[in-house]
Every structure is written in structure tokens, then in C-alpha cells.
Amino acid sequence: MRSFTKTALGLTTAGLLVAGLAACSTEASTSTSSSSSSSSSSSAEATPTPVASIPSLTGVDTAVLLDADFAAALTSLGLTPGTVGTATLEEGSLHFPITGGNVDYYDPAEDYRPYVQGNIEHEGSGFSLTAGDTVVELTNFTIDPGTSELFGDVTVNGESAATQVLLFNLYGGTLKPLQMDGDNAILTGTTVHISAEAAGLLNSTFNTDAVADQLLVGIATITVATK
């Protein structure tokens, strides 16, 4: 069994965290036909020991640089975006603080899939879309690096409409190499797209059909504290 110092462990897991997002988006398109058989074989085998693990994530944030076409689409629909809770909007990017979660990284050379598992939590933050008297809030995001999906809660005018529903799909094909800023690992380049579920909910709420499935929202940057 391999051993890691705390810093090396953090760097290894953080560096491969979003690499897992990229890999999973590729795997999803190439292994759909064999998913049933692989799932049954994986469940039948004992879970291997991860080669790296962060059992408790602490800080810092996930930022999404909003795509210009997405911003233009909101304007054309008469939707005004805003921040919720601890989220901030800085120079065109929405920032959602990381509040918890965990990540396990398994040897990708082995058959165990997905090889990046866990969740990245962003409790108490989100963003809103407002049109007239209608306010939709998307909050409490949870990223699943194993499936390249982002889930969250949805409220309409303060009333719950959905809890931890799939909101966005993440694609890592344009992911850039890991960068370091002190003890923080920075991974940028993953594109964020509106899911079919979120598009349908927004269209029905705002009485439109202009929110398209897989509409590009922006480019994500995940900054993870390694110490």
C-alpha cells in the first residue's frame, strides 16, 4: 500500500479530482453499452483501497466564469441573475465556497470505476434568476466527480421546487493542467452545461422554451485547499 504525506496526498487527489471529471465525461460516451455488466462485476468485487483520499474537504471555492452567450440569453429572456447566501460575483465569475465533502482516488489502471469518487459540497450559497415577481434560486450545490454532475436545491418564490436535482453537467475535455497558489490547488477549464431537468424547470417556471438542454453556462475553476 502506498503512503503519502498530507501535502502530497492533497496534491494528488486535488490534481486528479477534476481529471476524474474529464475522464468520466469520456467514459460515459464510450462505456454506456457495457455499464450494466461492469456495474455488476464491480459490485461483486471488494472495494479496493484508494491510493489517495481526502476524507474532509475544507475550502476554498468553485467559480464559474459566465459565458457571454449565456449572459446574453438571460438578458433576452428578461432574467436578472443574482447571488444567494455566501456566493459572490466577481469580474464576471460566480464564486461558491466549498463547505465540505470528500474525495477518494483509485488507481485508474485497475478496473474499479469510477476511479474518482466522493462529493464536493457548497452549502449556503447559490444564484438566483428573477423575472418580474418570479424568483428562482438554485442553491446548495453538490458536485459528484464520479459522474461529472452537479446537483442542487431549487426554490420558486421561496417555495421548494426540487431537492438535490441534477442541475448541470460538467465536461472536462478542455481541462488545463493543475496549478498551485501556495497551498491551494487550482483546476480550471471544465465547461458547465444546463441539464435537461434544469432546462425544463426553468422553461416551465418562466413560460418559455428558450433555455436549451446542455446550454453552456461557463467555465469552472475549482480551488481546493491541500492543507
Side-chain angles (χ1 to χ4, degrees):
M1 177 178 171
R2 304 177 191 178
S3 61
F4 292 81
T5 65
K6 183 176 180 181
T7 299
L9 176 64
L11 292 178
T12 301
T13 307
L16 293 165
L17 178 64
V18 180
L21 300 179
C24 289
S25 62
T26 302
E27 290 169 2
S29 62
T30 59
S31 63
T32 301
S33 61
S34 62
S35 61
S36 295
S37 59
S38 62
S39 295
S40 59
S41 61
S42 295
S43 61
E45 299 174 0
T47 301
T49 300
V51 296
S53 179
I54 298 180
S56 181
L57 292 174
T58 57
V60 277
D61 69 14
T62 295
V64 179
L65 177 62
L66 298 177
D67 182 74
D69 290 339
F70 176 70
L74 293 182
T75 300
S76 68
L77 292 172
L79 300 179
T80 302
T83 58
V84 177
T86 56
T88 58
L89 178 62
E90 303 171 17
E91 299 181 348
S93 290
L94 286 166
H95 292 257
F96 310 105
I98 294 174
T99 58
N102 61 86
V103 175
D104 289 329
Y105 171 72
Y106 298 89
D107 187 347
E110 302 296 333
D111 293 332
Y112 193 70
R113 290 295 185 273
Y115 62 81
V116 180
Q117 298 186 21
N119 61 84
I120 308 172
E121 300 169 356
H122 308 75
E123 292 291 326
S125 66
F127 70 95
S128 62
L129 296 172
T130 302
D133 295 330
T134 302
V135 180
V136 173
E137 293 186 349
L138 311 176
T139 59
N140 302 325
F141 300 140
T142 301
I143 295 175
D144 184 337
T147 62
S148 301
E149 295 173 327
L150 186 153
F151 300 84
D153 300 335
V154 182
T155 64
V156 179
N157 292 336
E159 298 292 331
S160 177
T163 301
Q164 290 302 295
V165 66
L166 175 61
L167 295 177
F168 303 104
N169 293 303
L170 311 174
Y171 300 107
T174 55
L175 179 69
K176 296 180 181 179
L178 172 71
Q179 298 179 9
M180 291 299 300
D181 181 12
D183 293 326
N184 293 332
I186 303 172
L187 305 118
T188 188
T190 298
T191 56
V192 181
H193 302 257
I194 290 180
S195 70
E197 293 89 337
L201 189 152
L202 292 174
N203 282 330
S204 63
T205 300
F206 293 111
N207 193 28
T208 181
D209 59 2
V211 183
D213 177 20
Q214 301 311 310
L215 174 68
L216 174 63
V217 175
I219 306 295
T221 296
I222 299 179
T223 303
V224 178
T226 62
K227 284 188 176 180

